[in-house]
Every structure is written in structure tokens, then in C-alpha cells.
Amino acid sequence: VPISIGLVTSEDLVSPSCGSVVEDLAKIPPAPALHYDENQIRVRGGGAEAGLLINGMKIRTSDGVEQPASQPVCFDNTEVLKQTVEVLYEGNVVATFNLSQRLKVTELDKHARYGDNFYSSPSLLPGQVQVIHGPFDGQGPGTSVDVGGKPGRILAETSQSLYWLLPADGGYGSISVTVRDAGRGATFPVYVLGLAMSADRLKLLRGESTAMQAKVFGPELMPAEAWRAGDVSDVVDMANVAKKFPDFKVPKPGGPGVIFFRLDNISRNTVSMKPSKNESFVVKLDRGSFSSGPYTYEGKIQSKKAGGFQIDGLVIAFFEPIPGNPLPPQDPEIEQPGTPVTPASPGQ
């Protein structure tokens, strides 16, 4: 059974750090702060689910240490990642990773900026890699993220940052996020942004038209003090932002928070979209854009020939991280409420 697996680590790698072994990397949005090294391997499994096959795998680093691939894989130093990393299945080497050519190994001192507290963006976007900064111990198995009672999916952890994904069914709007690490923890009042798109009809005959709607919701719930711009370059591809929003300037940290929103007509040979410019609609949204509730785009789809159509939407939020509300210290050896996060099949 061929499966694609990858080792997810932080590019700005410090020691200690942990990363996850995952399958189906296509479901994990790219983020510049993370590195995905992908290989396709073949294992015995018949009709078994690909994710279950990871239970029979181990990761072996150049120092000879073997760790189960089904749990966060931790590294005590960055030197082992400069050498070949091997994937074993039932004792046999079935794949190798060479991270040294791509990893950017740097020492980041976020402690001077974030101190002893945890910080998270006040707005979270489903499908996008999230980051929490703070005093992590770098040992992934003792770390968990709870999103309204459901576990987040941890991708990588360093001594300064935790990279993770929202649960697929975590909901939208105002929600509480709780992070725990080595007996410390904090809660954040955050807002999950959503993009809902709909059309009265999804298939048209030639010459027909239909109304469509795209709604950005969640920011209307954010308090005024949360609308401050911040640097999001560790989880957002800024080169792609410049390409998708060439006429917009990225806000300076500390200024008013903004949201970039874009719609693209992917079916240009089949339909046209109005209002748009060259079959794209691009707008910068500020707090005033949500003064009456969710921001709504009202448009019209006009068919050129019979068939269905596809409209893609993109939302990028620029907000400054907010400090968490610290939780009382607890003994990390005592089982904490919530479910520890272990690698599983990622979802959108």
C-alpha cells in the first residue's frame, strides 16, 4: 500500500523541539515557518487505512535513537536533523529524509518579547496553521491545545513556539482556547473566522445567471482592543500575499488590524463574475466593515456555456497576538483535563 508521509518540523529550529509524522500532507496548508519533507513509501497493509500504518513505523535519527511515528517525534539537538532521518516499518528502513538542505537553523529569542506568558492571535482561520508563542519546554508529548472542548492538532513545537491546526469541527465565532505545557497553561478568548459562499443555482444553461453570496463572519464579534495589526509572517506566505494583493500594503504592527479578502472565478471559460476586475474581487476590510455584522459580498454569475462553476475565496487576517490568561501551575506528571494531542489524519 503506497502512502505519502512527511516529517513536520519548524524551520526556525531550536533545541529541544518536536515534530509530527503525518500522512496526506495536501491537507496541511503551507506555512513558511514549517518544513514538510514528503516521501511515498510502500508497506504491507491490504485495505487498511493509511493513517493506521503509521502505528507500525518508527523514526530513527542519526544518533541511533528510534521513536514511534504515531507520537510527536522529539529532538534534543539540531545536529541530528542535519543528517539523514530514517523511517522504519517493522524494523526495515522504508524511507529516508534529508532535512539539512532545507532547514534554516537559527536561534530565536522570543523570550525577550513574550516573557513567561503565552500569546496567540485573537483571530483563527480554519485550514491555516496557527501559532502560539511562549515558554514551551519543546517536548511535544506533554503539550495539548483545547479548542472549545475539542483537541487541536499539533504539528511542531520548539522552546518558543507551538504550531497547530484547529479541529475540523471546532465551530466558529467566539471560543476559548486552552494551551497546556509542562504544568503551565493559559486560556485565550479568540474568534474563529469563517467564509461561507453560496449561489442560488450551481449549474447553469448557456445564457442563464444566478445570484451568489460570500460572507466573512467572526470579526464582527471581536472587541475594539483586538483590532491591532501584527506580524503574521511565521504562518503566512508573505510572497503569496504580495502576489494575491498587489495593490495593498501589509499593515505595520501596532496599527489598525485589517483583513484581506479575495474571490477568484476559477471557471472563466464557463461563467463570468460581477462585480469583479479581471474575474477577481479584492477588498481590504477593517473594523468598520463589520460594524453592521458579517461582511457580505453580493454578486452575480453569468454563464457563457452550460455547466457548473467554481469560485475560490481567500481570507488573510493581520492581528497582533494577545496574552493568555495564565492558569494555576500544575504538576505535569498528573494527568490534565483534556485529550493530549497525538498525530492523526489532518483535516480541513
Side-chain angles (χ1 to χ4, degrees), residues 30-335:
L34 297 180
H35 171 78
Y36 310 84
D37 202 317
E38 183 177 8
N39 267 333
Q40 187 175 80
I41 66 174
R42 300 188 68 89
V43 298
R44 297 190 303 274
E49 293 289 337
L52 297 178
L53 298 178
I54 295 180
N55 293 331
M57 295 180 185
K58 291 185 178 180
I59 299 297
R60 183 165 64 196
T61 47
S62 59
D63 55 2
V65 175
E66 297 181 4
Q67 301 180 60
S70 59
Q71 300 178 7
V73 180
C74 298
F75 309 96
D76 292 330
N77 61 75
T78 59
E79 294 303 316
V80 297
L81 287 180
K82 296 179 181 179
Q83 308 298 324
T84 299
V85 179
E86 298 176 317
V87 179
L88 290 78
Y89 183 74
E90 296 184 348
N92 299 313
V93 176
V94 293
T96 59
F97 295 116
N98 189 349
L99 305 179
S100 60
Q101 298 177 353
R102 302 180 186 177
L103 273 177
K104 179 180 62 177
V105 181
T106 59
E107 291 292 335
L108 297 181
D109 185 12
K110 292 190 176 70
H111 185 275
R113 178 179 179 184
Y114 296 109
D116 293 323
N117 199 1
F118 296 94
Y119 284 75
S120 170
S121 171
S123 69
L124 306 181
L125 286 165
Q128 179 178 301
V129 174
Q130 318 294 337
V131 61
I132 296 176
H133 296 298
F136 292 95
D137 67 356
Q139 301 300 320
T143 307
S144 66
V145 179
D146 179 276
V147 184
K150 297 180 180 180
R153 169 154 171 65
I154 293 177
L155 298 177
E157 176 184 341
T158 71
S159 58
Q160 290 98 9
S161 304
L162 181 74
Y163 300 93
W164 61 288
L165 292 173
L166 287 162
D169 54 352
Y172 296 92
S174 178
I175 200 166
S176 177
V177 170
T178 300
V179 60
R180 295 182 182 274
D181 176 83
R184 294 170 296 189
T187 60
F188 303 91
V190 300
Y191 303 85
V192 180
L193 278 61
L195 171 59
M197 296 192 292
S198 62
D200 293 347
R201 301 173 62 188
L202 300 180
K203 290 186 178 181
L204 300 172
L205 297 177
R206 181 179 179 180
E208 291 183 331
S209 64
T210 186
M212 73 156 288
Q213 184 182 83
K215 182 179 296 185
V216 181
F217 56 94
E220 73 278 5
L221 303 174
M222 292 175 55
E225 59 269 21
W227 282 86
R228 290 175 57 86
D231 179 12
V232 298
S233 60
D234 51 355
V235 290
V236 173
D237 187 343
M238 299 307 293
N240 186 53
V241 172
K243 179 180 178 181
K244 293 289 187 179
F245 302 91
D247 297 329
F248 293 168
K249 290 185 178 180
V250 173
K252 294 182 179 180
V258 298
I259 296 172
F260 289 179
F261 175 44
R262 176 172 178 142
L263 293 173
D264 285 296
N265 176 12
I266 306 302
S267 307
R268 300 187 179 196
N269 293 330
T270 305
V271 301
S272 62
M273 179 180 73
K274 296 180 180 181
S276 69
K277 181 179 180 181
N278 297 325
E279 297 302 324
S280 295
F281 175 81
V282 184
V283 65
K284 181 171 68 175
L285 308 175
D286 56 18
R287 184 170 176 246
S289 303
F290 298 90
S291 60
S292 300
Y295 172 82
T296 302
Y297 166 91
E298 299 282 356
K300 178 182 178 181
I301 301 296
Q302 179 70 51
S303 71
K304 300 177 182 179
K305 59 183 179 181
F309 56 90
Q310 179 182 346
I311 307 296
D312 279 0
L314 175 64
V315 178
I316 300 176
F318 298 87
F319 291 109
E320 184 178 67
I322 59 173
N325 299 312
L327 296 172
Q330 294 179 321
D331 187 342
E333 299 299 324
I334 299 177
E335 183 177 354

